[in-house]
Amino acid sequence: MSLVTSTTSELLGQLASRSVSAVEVTQSYLDAIQRRDGQVGALLSVTADSALAQAAEVDRRRAAGEAVGALAGLPIVLKDNICTQGIKTTCASKMLKDFVPPYDAHVATRLKQADAILLGKANLDEFAMGSSSENSALGKTVNPWSFEHAAGGSSGGSAAAVSAGFAPLALGSDTGGSIRQPASFCGVVGLKPTYGRVSRFGLVAYASSLDQIGPFARDVSGAALLLDAISGHDRRDSTSVDAPPTLTAATVEQPLSGLRVGIAREHFVAGLDPEVEAAVRRAVEVYKSLGATIVDISLPHSKYAIAVYYLIACSEASSNLARYDGVHYGHRATEFSNLVEMYKASRSEGFGDEVKRRIMLGAYALSAGYYDAYYLKALKVRRLIRQDFDAAFQNVDVIASPVNPTPAFKLGEMTADPLKMYLADIYTISANLAGLPGISIPAGMSASGLPIGLQLLAAPFEEEKLLRAARMFEREHGPAPMSWKSGV
Amino acid sequence: MLTTQDVLKVAELGRLKLDDEEVAKFAGQLGGILDYVAVLDEVDVSNVAPMAHVADVANVFREDVVVASLPRAASLSNAPKTDGKFFLVPQILEHA
Amino acid sequence: MASNLKYLAIMDFTTIIGLEIHVQLQTKTKLFCGCPTTFNPDQPNIQTCPVCLGLPGALPVMNRDAFALSLKTAMALNLELANFTKWDRKQYYYPDLPKGYQISQYDLPFSSKGWLEIDVPSTGETRRIRIIRAHLEEDAGKNLHDESGRGSDSQVDLNRAGTPLLEIVSEPDLRTAEEAKTYMEEMRLLLLAIGVSDCNMQEGSMRCDANVNLHVHENGETIPTPIVEVKNLNSFRFLEAAIEFEVKRQCAEWQRTHIRMGAPGGYKTTRGFDPNRGVTFEQRGKEEAADYRYFPDPDLVPVTVTDEQLVAIRSTLVEFPAARRRRYQQQLGLSAYDARVIADQGAEFANYFDAVTSLCGDGKQAANWLTQDVLREMNERRLSISEFPISSALLGALLVRVTKSELTIKAAREVFATLLKEWEEQEVAPSAERIEAIIKERGLATVNDTGAIESVVMAVIGRNEKAVADLRAGKMQAIGAIVGQVMKELKGADAKVVRQMILDKVGIS
Ligand SMILES: [Mg+2]
Ligand SMILES: [Zn+2]
């Protein structure tokens, strides 16, 4: 078996027994990137030299019998909205195309402590705004399963990188489904942790009350391992919950007895692709066969989630992105007549249309006379959405649903009509509004050969339960297939 | 549909410069989204408190202890224009 | 201005003033990051980090002491404290505001509804100025403008960005420039007394915005004129001058336009103050009402305050200047003037005074010394009270001898001056032993022993035959020389007693 088709635990085993070196592992992934990323476009930057140096250091320490971190020698790519000291962090925006952070994000520090090998930075929709990775000003990511199809977004580069064998692990960020949806499109595992579980320090903010960093891996246990490495309290993020890091990797292989799987009637309605619905129904049958109880539930306010999401996310975004004005960092226009014109020219040149749309929508929702009707109203309905989940989790352990109404759509198919694109977020968005953990795991393939994902949601801070439930299905269904079997 | 004036107003708030074509395009798109979010009108929220934070966290403080600042060169390292000491911007007019 | 003065004379109006005072809190670090708050204009941009630079991804975490100092201030200003408070973003663009928003408090400030009493010097009236609210926010950085007029770039220094700032908003209860100035002075004294800010106005640690308009009384109607906010006044003098200028300007404006507040063209405007010319100037256009789009900062969590916390903070509060002044007048019988001079020097000086008073048992005596001798010597030597070489214990020990009539005031002054002289010239530290020694060496102790006085008088009479003869011949001025010689030997003697004894001995009583 080739190194780049291995799962995280297989690689860790080989590295620990020193049957393979970290340098060899790193080099194989760098080779895969070299050979294929020209077609996929998953990465915006590759840090080959520092990766090999870091790998050599891990090998040296292993050989010397020194302690190494939990991810020692495992390559990883980070979504390019996660700050890395001395390494460009662009958010796939012209605005930040040359931005080199003078500091590391909390997760980047944790990964260094765990001795993971940073291979590079992954493409995304500009400032994580979008669901296809087509809104990138710096590159185009396609679906490794079909180059005419989208990798999903906004963490499309991270999902595609794992799917294509460019890295066994990746980090993305999920504000409305931006980890889970590309994971489902690319046929890998993607986890959005509970809000507050992973520090946002150093994650370039899109919508602060919704953003959460999370792992991509080829299998559930890989996601668990990476979650454990990055989770836990951080004093530099006031919204980080004061809880110890998760220990999900240790329990992920233990099946849950008496598992109750909730199915929401609101999730199976018009607009859901029959192949996707069939895959989810099959998954439910799998759980039934494993002894789980299937419970019908209702999430009556879920139909308002998209409206609530876009009002809150855009309001926060309009504020979070005010700092990009060409004064302290980022793009500055060259043609302007005065300071105010400099702001406008820099921002108009630096931001793409989707970012502008959201800034304007957010400014509108917060502006005098509209605040109560839009932003404040959205905050209130948000509470109702959360209450729906609180009630549901009285009776179920996880809620199973589609991740996206369809498998990966064709490139360009959604770009003309932003609202149509927004509406596709219906299954993923509620978890962000309610702060729940959610996972997307491969659950089948469409007739046209595109992956289909299954989403599981759990109550806040129930990551352990969520991952164990996901692993139960994965064990029956089989691990995620590689998008590229031949020639690897 | 948003009016041209509405679009220009939010563009101003967002410090964005739009040409006529963009104004027309965004008026349609933003108008469509706002029409959609009007679905919230049917929800009765009269007894619901707003939820700004989903995590139930309060009283987070840091101690008043000095932490090393960045070297000036690092603070200015991404500045589009600097004289090595300050960020430079086009003249700010104080007197109208 | 002459034409404006004409309006002042003929117009019937009331001036309405409200102040927004901004005070930097005395913390070691900024409000949301660990950068120091030291005033450091010569080394721009060295007290910055990802958080206060507003770098992408950086997040704020609240300074515990800043919040505690805020609560302490609010208590001193009789403000009601909220059990729940949160932080909001106030959004506007300016190069000294790196995030594009200021973290401030909007609808749920930590305190509201308080007051501060002021004694207006010119009227002697005590007025209670209501305070709407005090809230905590971050300061902006500093823009330095090219003054040459050549249109060069402005410079931005973010050392100050993120410094904790308390904004204290008064009701429009102030009626004159003098009242506004007195209110700000009283505020400064209070904040210094409770130790929450250094209130250094040159360094911008305390500054204010004045909202000024007129209530014009015309034809039985009271008509408010458009409010003008004069921004960023960083001295008492500027505050007074800016208000005085505005009153004249607004009078003229009213006469010219008759635009009332809220009418078309009657919007609130913002003006700056030019201290060189003593005038205000328009900063922002009338039509451009700012839309700050406040909303709760999702990066910060709310704060709840328990009653136990409030009790603990209240116990750290000291006596406020106004209370001291009242106590000095009512309990020690000091004049209003002396009470103010002492209390307004600050808590340390007033504490020194309290210590001297309790040692010597005479507040008036202590006040005389403090307001005259001590202040004079401090000022001459540019010393603060804490650097003054004669401690309150020593001065108390000296003055107790005056109150016990063991030393005349004149003699005590000589001891006091000698102590300072020795300290300065010979570096002898003033001490209780030195006080005794000086009294002895110089014979300063009051001499009540008539026998001792008599023998000296007899000796002096004996060797001044001519003066005695003159005296006997009726030339009364001759007694001066004899008294002088006696006093030279008997410094502690009472000159009146000596004089009478000489007359007795010479036989012309
Ligand atoms: Mg303010
Ligand atoms: Zn800082």
Side-chain angles (χ1 to χ4, degrees):
Chain A
M1 194 189 330
S2 152
L3 286 174
V4 300
T5 61
S6 305
T7 65
T8 312
S9 42
E10 287 163 358
L11 283 171
L12 270 185
Q14 292 175 22
L15 284 161
S17 67
R18 295 176 60 202
S19 59
V20 65
S21 71
V23 168
E24 284 172 89
V25 170
T26 302
Q27 192 60 60
S28 342
Y29 283 100
L30 287 172
D31 290 347
I33 292 167
Q34 173 85 31
R35 281 204 304 277
R36 306 186 193 290
D37 198 37
Q39 289 166 285
V40 179
L43 302 179
L44 291 174
S45 61
V46 179
T47 50
D49 293 347
S50 60
L52 288 168
Q54 212 190 336
E57 172 64 11
V58 167
D59 287 337
R60 185 197 65 73
R61 280 167 39 205
R62 259 210 178 95
E66 293 172 24
V68 291
L71 303 179
L74 283 182
I76 188 165
V77 299
L78 305 189
K79 188 178 183 178
D80 208 19
N81 60 350
I82 296 171
C83 284
T84 41
Q85 184 172 358
I87 298 167
K88 258 198 245 178
T89 301
T90 66
C91 293
S93 179
K94 188 179 170 190
M95 181 60 82
L96 290 179
K97 72 175 173 23
D98 299 316
F99 178 68
V100 180
Y103 77 106
D104 264 331
H106 179 74
V107 292
T109 305
R110 294 288 291 269
L111 289 174
K112 279 181 182 168
Q113 289 164 352
D115 291 318
I117 311 295
L118 177 65
L119 286 188
K121 306 294 291 287
N123 197 18
L124 64 151
D125 287 298
E126 184 179 0
F127 283 101
M129 298 179 186
S131 314
S132 73
S133 298
E134 290 170 278
N135 299 327
S136 166
L138 304 180
K140 187 176 129 188
T141 303
V142 300
N143 193 312
W145 290 87
S146 159
F147 296 167
E148 295 80 52
H149 286 83
S154 64
S155 311
S158 301
V162 172
S163 169
F166 300 159
L169 295 171
L171 284 183
S173 66
D174 191 316
T175 307
S178 284
I179 290 174
R180 291 159 287 157
Q181 185 256 27
S184 80
F185 279 18
C186 294
V188 298
V189 174
L191 170 72
K192 179 203 102 69
T194 305
Y195 186 82
R197 182 67 104 176
V198 179
S199 169
R200 293 183 297 113
F201 190 81
L203 170 67
V204 180
Y206 155 26
S208 313
S209 80
L210 305 163
D211 295 340
Q212 193 66 189
I213 295 172
F216 287 95
R218 290 209 43 241
D219 60 3
V220 174
S221 83
L225 200 67
L226 184 48
L227 173 68
D228 292 349
I230 60 168
S231 65
H233 184 230
D234 175 18
R235 294 173 168 282
R236 295 172 301 175
D237 174 0
S238 304
T239 63
S240 161
V241 173
D242 193 357
T246 57
L247 294 168
T248 54
T251 56
V252 69
E253 296 298 337
Q254 301 165 15
L256 294 154
S257 59
L259 178 68
R260 297 163 301 167
V261 176
I263 301 292
R265 63 183 72 107
E266 291 83 1
H267 284 165
F268 297 88
V269 290
L272 178 58
D273 181 282
E275 283 189 298
V276 174
E277 174 164 3
V280 175
R281 301 254 183 229
R282 272 199 308 275
V284 171
E285 289 308 311
V286 169
Y287 277 113
K288 214 186 263 179
S289 74
L290 293 170
T293 314
I294 310 304
V295 183
D296 278 327
I297 59 164
S298 175
L299 300 168
H301 295 95
S302 59
K303 63 178 165 177
Y304 305 115
I306 289 171
V308 170
Y309 172 82
Y310 278 94
L311 288 171
I312 293 175
C314 294
S315 294
E316 293 182 10
S318 72
S319 175
N320 285 330
L321 272 67
R323 66 188 62 196
Y324 306 105
D325 56 11
V327 174
H328 310 98
Y329 44 81
H331 176 74
R332 180 186 289 195
T334 49
E335 298 290 320
F336 46 81
S337 51
N338 59 40
L339 179 70
V340 173
E341 291 304 314
M342 185 198 88
Y343 285 152
K344 289 183 183 173
S346 301
R347 290 168 65 79
S348 297
E349 292 171 14
F351 293 141
D353 276 1
E354 185 59 39
V355 174
K356 289 178 188 172
R357 250 190 309 274
R358 295 192 194 197
I359 287 174
M360 288 190 283
L361 184 62
Y364 189 80
L366 291 175
S367 65
Y370 296 97
Y371 180 92
D372 287 1
Y374 289 111
Y375 177 73
L376 191 63
K377 179 84 184 255
L379 289 190
K380 291 177 178 176
V381 182
R382 181 181 191 176
R383 184 174 296 279
L384 296 175
I385 289 168
R386 167 68 183 245
Q387 287 171 354
D388 284 355
F389 280 109
D390 288 344
F393 285 118
Q394 297 288 312
N395 303 310
V396 302
D397 299 301
V398 294
I399 297 170
S401 76
V403 180
N404 199 72
T406 64
F409 45 78
K410 277 219 165 79
L411 290 167
E413 197 180 310
M414 294 289 213
T415 45
D417 184 352
L419 182 57
K420 190 175 161 200
M421 177 95 101
Y422 297 173
L423 294 177
D425 294 339
I426 181 70
Y427 298 111
T428 49
I429 254 166
S430 300
N432 301 83
L433 292 170
L436 314 176
I439 193 168
S440 171
I441 46 176
M445 300 294 286
S446 72
S448 56
L450 292 165
I452 295 171
L454 166 74
Q455 175 174 255
L456 299 176
L457 302 177
F461 298 100
E462 294 282 16
E463 276 86 351
E464 187 188 314
K465 197 188 267 182
L466 182 70
L467 287 160
R468 286 168 70 184
R471 177 66 187 131
M472 286 167 72
F473 173 77
E474 183 187 61
R475 194 180 285 113
E476 297 301 308
H477 182 77
M482 291 297 294
S483 57
W484 243 314
K485 288 224 169 72
S486 59
V488 171
Chain B
M1 235 355 230
L2 279 187
T3 65
T4 299
Q5 258 175 340
D6 290 334
V7 176
L8 289 175
K9 189 189 122 191
V10 292
E12 182 67 33
L13 288 174
R15 289 289 187 273
L16 295 169
K17 189 171 68 185
L18 306 179
D19 61 28
D20 293 350
E21 206 176 301
E22 288 175 308
V23 171
K25 178 180 73 184
F26 286 127
Q29 291 174 342
L30 295 175
I33 296 164
L34 288 170
D35 288 346
Y36 173 76
V37 302
V39 65
L40 296 184
D41 292 349
E42 66 189 58
V43 192
D44 178 11
V45 292
S46 40
N47 291 312
V48 184
M51 186 182 224
H53 293 89
V54 69
D56 196 14
V57 179
N59 302 322
V60 175
F61 293 103
R62 39 171 278 276
E63 302 310 316
D64 185 24
V65 175
V66 173
V67 176
S69 298
L70 287 173
R72 184 194 282 143
S75 293
L76 297 175
S77 60
N78 286 289
K81 194 171 183 189
T82 166
D83 58 7
K85 281 184 154 184
F86 294 95
F87 299 94
L88 296 182
V89 294
Q91 189 186 37
I92 302 165
L93 295 171
E94 286 284 274
H95 298 246
Chain C
M1 203 45 69
S3 58
N4 290 348
L5 289 172
K6 180 182 72 192
Y7 300 132
L8 276 179
I10 60 167
M11 268 177 68
D12 180 12
F13 67 91
T14 310
T15 307
I16 308 294
I17 306 160
L19 295 191
E20 289 172 23
I21 296 181
H22 286 95
V23 192
Q24 283 182 8
L25 294 173
Q26 223 162 9
T27 52
K28 292 189 205 61
T29 67
K30 294 185 180 182
L31 187 50
F32 298 115
C33 65
C35 291
T37 52
T38 323
F39 180 67
N40 198 356
D42 297 333
Q43 291 171 287
N45 294 305
I46 65 155
Q47 287 156 210
T48 57
C49 73
V51 175
C52 57
L53 289 167
L55 290 191
L59 295 172
V61 185
M62 175 76 53
N63 183 329
R64 185 187 300 280
D65 286 8
F67 189 67
L69 291 177
S70 304
L71 292 180
K72 191 170 170 180
T73 310
M75 284 180 186
L77 292 172
N78 308 291
L79 284 150
E80 290 170 21
L81 293 158
N83 288 114
F84 176 95
T85 189
K86 69 179 174 78
W87 274 265
D88 302 284
R89 294 182 180 178
K90 177 183 182 178
Q91 310 193 62
Y92 64 94
Y93 298 84
Y94 212 55
D96 62 10
L97 190 71
K99 298 188 297 298
Y101 56 83
Q102 177 194 29
I103 302 176
S104 182
Q105 299 200 281
Y106 183 53
D107 56 338
L108 295 173
F110 76 90
S111 71
S112 58
K113 282 192 259 166
W115 47 266
L116 177 67
E117 267 178 2
I118 59 169
D119 298 325
V120 188
S122 69
T123 61
E125 193 193 351
T126 296
R127 295 209 51 214
R128 179 172 286 199
I129 307 304
R130 291 170 301 159
I131 296 169
I132 298 174
R133 59 188 276 165
H135 68 252
L136 183 56
E137 61 187 22
E138 57 177 340
D139 207 345
K142 226 171 156 42
N143 298 319
L144 295 110
H145 310 295
D146 175 37
E147 305 287 355
S148 71
R150 284 192 300 272
S152 314
D153 284 341
S154 294
Q155 299 171 310
V156 184
D157 173 10
L158 296 181
N159 277 352
R160 197 180 68 181
T163 300
L165 210 56
L166 207 59
E167 179 173 329
I168 303 163
V169 185
S170 85
E171 290 279 1
D173 283 352
L174 300 157
R175 293 292 171 267
T176 63
E178 183 202 19
E179 286 187 3
K181 175 171 165 270
T182 308
Y183 169 76
M184 189 149 169
E185 285 171 340
E186 187 65 37
M187 185 69 75
R188 181 168 181 273
L189 289 173
L190 178 63
L191 300 180
L192 284 172
I194 61 175
V196 296
S197 173
D198 67 13
C199 294
N200 187 324
M201 298 179 77
Q202 282 90 45
E203 294 180 1
S205 302
M206 186 185 199
R207 52 195 198 263
C208 87
D209 304 336
N211 285 284
V212 184
N213 76 334
L214 309 177
H215 281 180
V216 179
H217 311 297
E218 229 171 60
N219 311 323
E221 202 191 349
T222 294
I223 309 157
T225 63
I227 295 176
V228 170
E229 181 173 6
V230 187
K231 294 294 251 186
N232 234 341
L233 298 161
N234 64 353
S235 89
F236 299 126
R237 206 155 47 78
F238 297 167
L239 170 64
E240 214 171 9
I243 292 172
E244 278 164 4
F245 178 84
E246 267 307 303
V247 171
K248 291 171 197 161
R249 198 190 61 79
Q250 290 183 26
C251 278
E253 193 72 11
W254 169 257
Q255 292 293 334
R256 199 170 60 77
T257 64
H258 266 67
I259 292 177
R260 64 171 65 204
M261 183 160 71
Y267 303 102
K268 180 173 170 174
T269 50
T270 298
R271 299 179 74 87
F273 178 68
D274 180 344
N276 297 320
R277 295 188 293 146
V279 301
T280 65
F281 56 88
E282 185 156 337
Q283 278 185 327
R284 225 177 281 155
K286 283 188 172 74
E287 310 305 327
E288 195 194 321
D291 186 347
Y292 292 122
R293 288 159 290 137
Y294 281 99
F295 79 107
D297 191 331
D299 289 333
L300 288 164
V301 297
V303 174
T304 56
V305 185
T306 63
D307 292 343
E308 294 85 77
Q309 280 173 286
L310 296 184
V311 169
I313 293 166
R314 206 175 287 280
S315 71
T316 68
L317 285 175
V318 297
E319 189 180 24
F320 305 149
R324 268 197 208 266
R325 287 197 295 265
R326 220 168 296 134
R327 176 163 65 82
Y328 291 166
Q329 288 180 62
Q330 289 167 2
Q331 292 179 15
L332 303 179
L334 265 51
S335 70
Y337 179 82
D338 280 355
R340 173 172 284 282
V341 169
I342 292 167
D344 291 8
Q345 290 295 319
E348 217 169 341
F349 190 85
N351 289 340
Y352 182 105
F353 167 76
D354 285 343
V356 174
T357 300
S358 78
L359 285 170
C360 78
D362 183 346
K364 280 186 175 171
Q365 183 71 255
N368 284 339
W369 280 79
L370 276 261
T371 58
Q372 294 166 39
D373 306 67
V374 175
L375 266 184
R376 184 190 63 240
E377 301 297 334
M378 274 169 60
N379 291 342
E380 262 172 29
R381 293 170 174 77
R382 296 174 189 283
L383 296 172
S384 70
I385 190 67
S386 60
E387 297 159 336
F388 195 64
I390 300 176
S391 67
S392 55
L394 282 186
L395 185 60
L398 182 62
L399 295 195
V400 73
R401 305 194 55 155
V402 177
T403 48
K404 282 191 190 155
S405 299
E406 294 169 10
L407 217 55
T408 62
I409 290 175
K410 190 163 169 280
R413 284 221 162 89
E414 192 171 333
V415 175
F416 182 79
T418 309
L419 285 173
L420 283 176
K421 204 170 165 207
E422 289 179 352
W423 171 73
E424 234 163 21
E425 291 173 2
Q426 298 150 46
E427 293 176 21
V428 178
S431 64
E433 293 74 50
R434 276 310 297 154
I435 291 178
E436 292 313 310
I438 292 167
I439 290 171
K440 260 204 198 102
E441 286 161 18
R442 304 192 165 214
L444 293 174
T446 300
V447 183
N448 294 320
D449 178 348
T450 37
I453 298 175
E454 193 172 353
S455 67
V456 175
V457 167
M458 290 313 289
V460 172
I461 286 174
R463 56 176 192 262
N464 284 281
E465 281 171 28
K466 167 128 193 353
V468 172
D470 286 349
L471 196 54
R472 286 195 175 123
K475 291 184 181 170
M476 287 306 288
Q477 65 268 38
I479 198 170
I482 306 171
V483 173
Q485 286 183 46
V486 175
M487 290 303 290
K488 207 173 172 188
E489 283 181 50
L490 280 178
K491 286 193 174 149
D494 186 332
K496 266 190 262 167
V497 175
V498 171
R499 185 187 166 93
Q500 192 53 53
M501 194 178 282
I502 295 168
L503 292 177
D504 289 346
K505 298 293 170 198
V506 175
I508 32 172
S509 39

